[in-house]
Amino acid sequence: MKILAKWLALVVLLCTTPAKAALDIVITEGVDAARPIAVMPFVWQGAGAPPQAIADVVMSDLVRSGTFKPLDELGFPQRNIGALAQFQANAWASVGAEALVLGSVKPYGTDQFLVSFDLIDLVKAQNQALKGPVSATEFLMDSRQTVISAAQFRQYGHRISDIVYEKLTGIRGAFLTRVSYVVVNHTQKAPYQLMIADYDGYNEQMLLRSPEPLMSPTWSPDGRRLAYVSFENKKAEIFVQDLYTQVRTKVSSFPGINGAPAFSPDGKSLAVTLSKDGQPEIYVIDIATKAIKRITNHYAIDTEPSWFPDGKSLLFTSERGGKPQLYRVDLNSGKVTRETFEGEWNLGGSITPDGRSMIFVNRTNGKFNIARMDLNTRFMQVLTSTRLDESPSVAPNGTMVIYGTTYQGKQVLAAVSTDGRFKARLPAGQGEVKSPSWSPFL
């Protein structure tokens, strides 16, 4: 019973740790290994100054991806060019970058701006330039024009970043996504705040404020709803809230634990942890009808469910083997299979969008770190090196993980690439931050 009590206390601790707002990404590791790219400041073709520097957004996105390293524009052989027609391949022969992003912005009516950009394959351009004059379209990877408003500059910058990232890596960019998290500031009367923001911390909005704990936010597959746990009524309850209408629905309010909601891939159901029948077990609730189905039935604690991408299985944490480990349950047959064996504990797992890997919290030698395991080879890689990491959430393109950790005595968010090379911290202003959840593609 002592082990059970300690494990239950840890589950509660990991679900209720503090948080914070106004995120600012501080890169701590991995830039030197990134691929060099050139991003030219977009040429402004109007009076005064443009509403915002789109190229700055693109450069920041590419740096934060952990994949690219924008070069200093002072070393560019050409300056102030905004279109492919001005590009001179010979001039860029000595620039060690694989691609160039350039563009222009000009007024196009009342609060309207025409944004044009080109993505140039510098390696191909340099190689072809050695053979003599060639058509510029030979090394043009993408070219687009779009009319936007002043309020859309940052959003369209993310869109350009998505295009560049996918063209150069073959992987869909995840810059037009959002994150949710809980901020805790005990200097305020209602210290718990459920927040959503752009993936880079901009455009932060408060969805809910409460004097009692809020925890475990998770996104619906369409990015329109959040499910979360609230204690505002002096007990644990699970709500689903529409981000656009603000309408929220109470999904689960049974006696005891109502926790760890996770949307099914079709968005129609929630996998949850309930203790209404005794021990914490895994259940699936139909959101529309409230029909409930018990999935596990064991004397040990079963918690933290998450879905496999095909919707046919759940991953969950259980100590049925003596210590917390990750298990898989087939929803048709009910068959349970143990997935993790390395380390002292493994918990809080989720499957990457491609279904090939598992991201989770691994405890080894008393340290809690974020880890990844290949589901085919069973190779496990510890991705972080801090001591108390928790609540990992994977980007929808599977390249990055956002998670909670402790820095200088405060709970903050951090990010790590799924290959472990790139690391960043996301410190906030007032309060502490916990329970991050990365949105799907929007």
Side-chain angles (χ1 to χ4, degrees):
M1 286 301 297
K2 269 189 175 180
I3 294 177
L4 288 176
K6 286 181 180 179
W7 165 227
L8 183 57
L10 179 72
V11 170
V12 173
L13 174 65
L14 292 184
C15 288
T16 56
T17 33
K20 114 187 177 184
L23 307 177
D24 181 24
I25 300 177
V26 178
I27 298 167
T28 58
E29 194 174 322
V31 175
D32 291 342
R35 295 156 59 179
I37 188 171
V39 180
M40 183 82 68
F42 282 30
V43 176
W44 170 239
Q45 298 174 344
Q52 191 170 352
I54 284 187
D56 290 348
V57 176
V58 176
M59 285 192 290
S60 295
D61 285 344
L62 296 178
V63 168
R64 290 164 180 160
S65 73
T67 302
F68 296 100
K69 178 182 179 182
L71 301 180
D72 188 336
E73 66 176 282
L74 294 177
F76 293 173
Q78 288 184 280
R79 307 287 292 276
N80 203 39
I81 62 172
L84 180 65
Q86 300 169 289
F87 174 76
Q88 299 173 3
N90 288 327
W92 290 80
S94 61
V95 177
E98 61 180 87
L100 167 66
V101 182
L102 53 81
S104 64
V105 181
K106 68 178 179 180
Y108 202 72
T110 304
D111 192 38
Q112 296 287 296
F113 303 86
L114 179 66
V115 181
S116 307
F117 81 93
D118 296 321
L119 175 62
I120 298 170
D121 185 333
L122 282 183
V123 175
K124 193 172 185 180
Q126 292 161 2
N127 289 338
Q128 290 183 341
L130 297 175
K131 303 175 184 177
V134 292
S135 170
T137 56
E138 295 286 333
F139 42 79
L140 182 64
M141 300 182 72
D142 208 305
S143 181
R144 306 198 186 191
Q145 283 190 335
T146 305
V147 177
I148 64 173
S149 68
Q152 294 174 316
F153 267 65
R154 173 165 287 276
Q155 182 184 40
Y156 191 64
H158 292 321
R159 175 63 182 140
I160 294 173
S161 301
D162 279 343
I163 294 168
V164 171
Y165 189 87
E166 184 167 7
K167 287 291 182 179
L168 295 178
T169 68
I171 300 170
R172 185 175 178 182
F175 305 111
L176 268 177
T177 55
R178 309 198 82 189
V179 292
S180 63
Y181 47 93
V182 176
V183 172
V184 183
N185 187 345
H186 288 291
T187 65
Q188 299 180 357
K189 187 175 180 180
Y192 299 92
Q193 302 168 54
L194 178 57
M195 313 296 291
I196 56 175
D198 294 348
Y199 96 96
D200 57 0
Y202 283 82
N203 298 319
E204 186 183 59
Q205 297 173 309
M206 183 170 62
L207 188 66
L208 180 66
R209 168 173 272 160
S210 173
E212 302 297 332
L214 302 169
M215 61 182 69
S216 305
T218 184
W219 294 81
S220 63
D222 61 3
R224 185 182 179 91
R225 296 167 293 163
L226 275 183
Y228 54 89
V229 178
S230 172
F231 283 81
E232 61 196 282
N233 295 321
K234 306 298 183 181
K235 64 175 183 176
E237 297 175 309
I238 296 174
F239 290 88
V240 171
Q241 185 160 342
D242 189 295
L243 300 181
Y244 299 95
T245 66
Q246 297 298 302
V247 172
R248 68 175 186 160
T249 304
K250 187 184 297 183
V251 177
S252 178
S253 184
F254 294 101
I257 295 171
N258 296 265
F263 278 97
S264 59
D266 64 7
K268 296 180 179 180
S269 303
L270 285 177
V272 300
T273 301
L274 304 177
S275 63
K276 69 183 189 69
D277 297 317
Q279 284 289 95
E281 302 283 359
I282 306 301
Y283 296 76
V284 171
I285 301 176
D286 184 288
I287 297 172
T289 67
K290 306 299 188 297
I292 184 170
K293 179 182 179 181
R294 184 169 178 169
I295 304 301
T296 63
N297 190 356
H298 199 277
Y299 63 83
I301 294 172
D302 294 337
T303 187
E304 299 175 327
S306 63
W307 296 80
F308 278 75
D310 62 7
K312 297 179 180 179
S313 302
L314 289 173
L315 185 71
F316 66 98
T317 304
S318 177
E319 59 144 29
R320 59 183 62 197
K323 295 180 180 179
Q325 295 291 343
L326 293 169
Y327 293 78
R328 175 178 185 165
V329 57
D330 184 282
L331 294 179
N332 290 324
S333 67
K335 180 182 178 182
V336 174
T337 306
R338 182 168 168 174
E339 294 288 338
T340 56
F341 294 88
E342 289 188 58
E344 300 156 2
W345 293 5
N346 293 288
L347 57 152
S350 61
I351 305 300
T352 55
D354 61 10
R356 297 177 181 175
S357 300
M358 182 167 59
I359 304 295
F360 53 97
V361 177
N362 167 265
R363 176 180 138 158
T364 299
N365 297 325
K367 293 174 60 178
F368 291 87
N369 294 125
I370 307 302
R372 179 180 64 87
M373 187 179 78
D374 186 292
L375 292 175
N376 290 323
T377 66
R378 318 306 293 182
F379 172 74
M380 188 187 84
Q381 176 187 6
V382 176
L383 303 177
T384 61
S385 56
T386 36
R387 296 193 60 85
L388 191 58
D389 303 332
E390 62 182 28
S391 306
S393 179
V394 187
N397 65 359
T399 63
M400 297 288 291
V401 180
I402 190 171
Y403 62 97
T405 190
T406 301
Y407 177 69
Q408 295 183 345
K410 292 180 64 176
Q411 278 204 295
V412 301
L413 302 185
V416 62
S417 58
T418 48
D419 61 10
R421 292 186 301 177
F422 177 82
K423 296 179 176 66
R425 265 192 323 273
L426 288 73
Q430 298 296 315
E432 298 186 273
V433 194
K434 65 171 184 176
S435 302
S437 179
W438 210 314
S439 81
F441 291 115
L442 301 176

